[in-house]
Amino acid sequence: MSKSTPSNSGLRVNPEAFYEPLFDSAGEGILLVDQKGDIVLANSRMTQLFGYTKEEFRGSNVSILIPAEIRERHHGHMQTYFSNPHARSMGKGLNLAAERKDGTQFPVEISLNHFENNGESFAIALVTDITQRKKDHDKILELNELLERKVKERTEQLAESQRLYSAIARNFPEGTINVFDRDLNYIFVEGKELYKLGVTNEILMGSNYLDRLPKEVGDKVKTYLDEVFEGISCTFQVEINNNYYELDAVPLESSEGDIRQILVVEKNITKNKAVENEIRKALEKEKELNTLKSRFVSMASHEFRTPLGTILSSVSLIARYTSSEDQPKRDKHIDRIKHAINILTNILNDFLSLEKLEAGKVKVKSEPIDLNQFCESLINDFSGVLKNGQQIIFKCELDEMHAFLDKQMLSNAMLNLLTNASKYSDEDSTIWLTLIDSAEALMIEVKDEGIGIPEDEQHHLFERFFRAQNVTNIQGTGLGLNIVKKYVEIMGGSISFESQHGVGSVFRISFPKIG
Ligand code: ADP
């Protein structure tokens, strides 16, 4: 290939002949305009763009291509351009529009240049139809807008659902909902229990769960929660400062399938536990009452036999005493029947009192009591029950002694003690009823010189159905002292005793002085 320096003389092509097809085949519209704005030349692309023929273009003013509404302004711009002609794009940043012959408009981009010929100035305009570009641009803008709207909507939805979850979690009753990371640091925590403890979730976020727990509880919790990170859900209970909590822990799998967080629902179950305990206690009480009833039935079947036998034999004997001389014999049997019925009534009364006490149905009704008077009338009523030759000696340190107690309960308790004193003593023995007024307490003592209680059995006294070995031949249920103790205690007092086998016993009930 030979090298040649380009020079006009070396050109084999006439530039005129080269420029014209180039001018016509250009993809952009090219327009040559004189200083007056008259069109001097327009290429083929211009005819396609605007619908004018080249001939129509030639000599027409460029203003025919400008939309009517801005034609006026354009004229001014053109004048300015010719006063300082230079290469530039037109209406940069503006939405330029051009008008076709048929009056329709389309968006254009125009770049301007100028040249001088024979002392005359011309402007060359390169006109590009940017309809498609603008459409694409608008489409992009529209898509962007749509995308932005969607992002905004999703963000709002997310914020809304987050608010919703937080509200649900914040109102989670009697507990908290927690999310922990692998180190058991708080990632999320909400729940009513939190606010009850005076803690806010802001304080807890990022802190370590185990730091809030006592050491032993923390160790237990960690053992369980470590397993949850291995994918094993669990439920367990812990006790913190007399509060009971149930923890439900589940792994939270990430989209990649690994477990970096766990969800722990912590519920304060103290109230449920208390109810559970109440139910358990009630059940135990129920069982105890059932045992009591069955023991009573076995005791009663034994203890009822003697008085019922007495009644039966006395009734059949009375039937035989038909003459009026037999009246003393009849009276004797009537007395025996009365006594037997009394025994039966006492057994039943004891049992009913005990059942009422056990069921918590007995309420204390305190009232002022003149103890001297009270004891005297009690002794009076009781004298008929004493064995032959038995006497009660009543001693009171003061002329007047007053108490504020439940009369019925006190009377029941004292009658029980007096009955025992008489029952477990021989005929002609003495019983002492003494009232003692000490600085701290009011005391009532019942002392006898009866059979006493064997020392090795004394620790069973006051137990239900307890009867010492030395009383097997004497009627009794083993319920009396248990009832006495309960009556005395619900009135705020206490009972104690001293006894020596074969010598006698003393039972002392005492009520502390208040204030
Ligand atoms: P009960 O007299 O019906 O057997 P209590 O509960 O009143 O039942 O008494 C329980 C037991 O305590 C009696 O069975 C008896 O062994 C003993 N006990 C109670 N009081 C006396 C007493 N004053 N003297 C001797 N033993 C007594």
Side-chain angles (χ1 to χ4, degrees), residues 73-85:
R73 233 183 309 144
H74 178 261
H75 186 67
H77 291 318
M78 199 175 66
Q79 299 301 325
T80 320
Y81 181 74
F82 277 112
S83 62
N84 174 27

Side-chain angles (χ1 to χ4, degrees), residues 350 416-417 419-425 446 448 450-454 461-463 465-471 474-484 499 504-507:
D350 273 3
N416 228 304
L417 295 180
T419 308
N420 281 351
S422 162
K423 190 164 69 170
Y424 299 117
S425 299
V446 177
D448 64 60
I451 59 171
I453 304 156
L461 215 70
F462 304 114
E463 281 175 17
F465 299 104
F466 165 74
R467 304 207 71 221
Q469 294 291 331
N470 59 342
V471 299
I474 306 167
Q475 189 279 328
T477 60
L479 292 175
L481 283 182
N482 185 272
I483 293 169
V484 171
S499 182
S505 314
V506 51
F507 284 84

Side-chain angles (χ1 to χ4, degrees), residues 315-365:
V315 167
S316 29
L317 285 171
I318 287 172
R320 284 196 215 156
Y321 304 131
T322 48
S323 67
S324 50
E325 303 90 76
D326 290 333
Q327 189 54 38
K329 287 179 185 165
R330 274 201 294 270
D331 287 344
K332 191 181 106 193
H333 285 289
I334 287 169
D335 279 348
R336 288 173 88 186
I337 291 171
K338 277 187 188 164
H339 182 67
I341 288 173
N342 268 340
I343 292 174
L344 291 175
T345 313
N346 285 342
I347 296 175
L348 287 174
N349 281 343
D350 273 3
F351 182 69
L352 289 177
S353 308
L354 186 63
E355 207 196 15
K356 267 194 189 170
L357 279 163
E358 292 283 337
K361 285 184 198 153
V362 179
K363 295 273 170 294
V364 181
K365 289 185 209 123

Side-chain angles (χ1 to χ4, degrees), residues 174 196 243-244 268-277:
E174 312 293 346
K196 229 168 43 186
N243 274 310
Y244 294 88
N268 189 333
I269 53 162
T270 316
K271 275 189 206 155
N272 308 18
K273 276 261 169 189
V275 173
E276 213 176 279
N277 275 347

Side-chain angles (χ1 to χ4, degrees), residues 425-470:
S425 299
D426 288 337
E427 292 182 350
D428 301 318
S429 61
T430 305
I431 296 164
W432 289 268
L433 173 63
T434 313
L435 294 181
I436 305 159
D437 187 7
S438 84
E440 298 83 31
L442 250 177
M443 284 178 273
I444 303 168
E445 252 182 31
V446 177
K447 186 175 167 221
D448 64 60
E449 42 186 6
I451 59 171
I453 304 156
E455 277 75 11
D456 60 336
E457 292 186 89
Q458 287 183 5
H459 63 278
H460 289 300
L461 215 70
F462 304 114
E463 281 175 17
R464 274 192 318 231
F465 299 104
F466 165 74
R467 304 207 71 221
Q469 294 291 331
N470 59 342

